Amino acid sequence: MAKRLFAQQGIGKTTMMDVAHASGLGRRTLYMYYKTRDELYRAVVKSEIELIISRLQDVMKTNISPDKKFIRFVAVRMQALEDLVRRNRSIRSDFLNNQSRIEEIRKELDLQEKVYLTKILKEGDKRGTFRIENPEITATIAHTTIKGFEPVFIRDGFGSNYQTTLNLCIKILFQGIRPQIK
């Protein structure tokens, strides 16, 4: 219920009384679980992050080549983010205006994404699909690069330049900026 209220009204206009009333709980009962509206909001965002992690776990279970898995991972990740910010305007607003709050809440997601990217890169290196000296650092660079596009994509509403930019980002991550020698 809180998720719906935050999405519709925003965090600033949603009170604990609104949430208690909408969920059929007493205000005191709600306060037993969440001391503040911010704590409740963090729980809502955490549940959204768990959904994203679940979608990424599904990608990791696929039996496809590491290069295809990397591309699918990025595509699913960005689609999950798009779905989230379209569904919840409070989270969209935080991504654009309150980066520090989002960064604090999404630490678990960032760590898990780096673990997954490292696994993909190590698998690719082992199979000869990639040539990587340090998969952990490369995963951090890839993650930071992809994450850096989030505010632009969100601000643009995942509009016309989204897919082109994302494809270029993936191409640069795979091939660098040097011309390919034939």
Side-chain angles (χ1 to χ4, degrees):
M1 193 53 60
K3 185 186 299 189
R4 186 175 58 85
L5 288 172
F6 287 139
Q8 290 173 344
Q9 300 174 186
I11 188 171
K13 293 182 181 175
T14 302
T15 66
M16 292 292 273
M17 184 62 97
D18 294 335
V19 174
H21 179 72
S23 62
L25 296 173
R27 191 171 52 99
R28 288 183 182 174
T29 303
L30 184 60
Y31 275 107
M32 282 176 41
Y33 296 100
Y34 306 101
K35 306 272 185 263
T36 66
R37 175 180 58 190
D38 191 58
E39 188 177 317
L40 177 59
Y41 176 74
R42 286 173 182 275
V44 166
V45 175
K46 186 173 175 15
S47 75
E48 294 286 357
I49 286 170
E50 288 167 359
L51 292 174
I52 293 172
I53 290 172
S54 175
R55 288 170 74 172
L56 295 176
Q57 284 172 339
D58 291 343
V59 172
M60 295 304 293
K61 292 175 187 173
T62 60
N63 189 20
I64 55 178
S65 64
D67 54 336
K68 289 181 180 167
K69 189 176 285 190
F70 183 93
I71 292 167
R72 184 171 298 167
F73 180 91
V74 173
V76 166
R77 178 199 186 280
M78 295 310 284
Q79 184 62 55
L81 177 66
E82 179 181 1
D83 294 347
L84 172 59
V85 298
R86 287 191 190 279
R87 228 180 16 252
N88 192 316
R89 73 177 197 203
S90 288
I91 294 174
R92 180 187 187 281
S93 177
D94 275 353
F95 266 99
L96 296 175
N97 305 314
N98 197 344
Q99 205 63 35
S100 60
R101 179 179 8 210
I102 286 295
E103 288 303 313
E104 179 62 32
I105 297 171
R106 71 180 280 175
K107 282 180 182 177
E108 177 186 345
L109 174 62
D110 290 342
L111 290 172
Q112 192 60 57
E113 286 177 334
K114 289 177 195 173
V115 167
Y116 289 155
L117 286 168
T118 301
K119 284 182 181 179
I120 294 169
L121 295 171
K122 283 182 176 180
E123 180 185 352
D125 192 48
K126 182 178 177 182
R127 289 187 182 188
T129 307
F130 307 133
R131 255 190 354 243
I132 298 170
E133 292 177 29
N134 188 319
E136 290 82 10
I137 292 174
T138 304
T140 298
I141 291 168
H143 179 261
T144 303
T145 302
I146 296 161
K147 189 176 167 183
F149 283 106
E150 290 174 355
V152 175
F153 291 154
I154 293 168
R155 200 172 291 112
D156 188 39
F158 292 84
S160 59
N161 292 328
Y162 165 64
Q163 197 60 52
T164 303
T165 305
L166 189 58
N167 289 341
L168 182 59
C169 174
I170 290 170
K171 183 178 178 183
I172 289 170
L173 286 169
F174 273 140
Q175 300 170 356
I177 57 174
R178 285 187 169 166
Q180 298 301 306
I181 300 172
K182 295 182 181 188

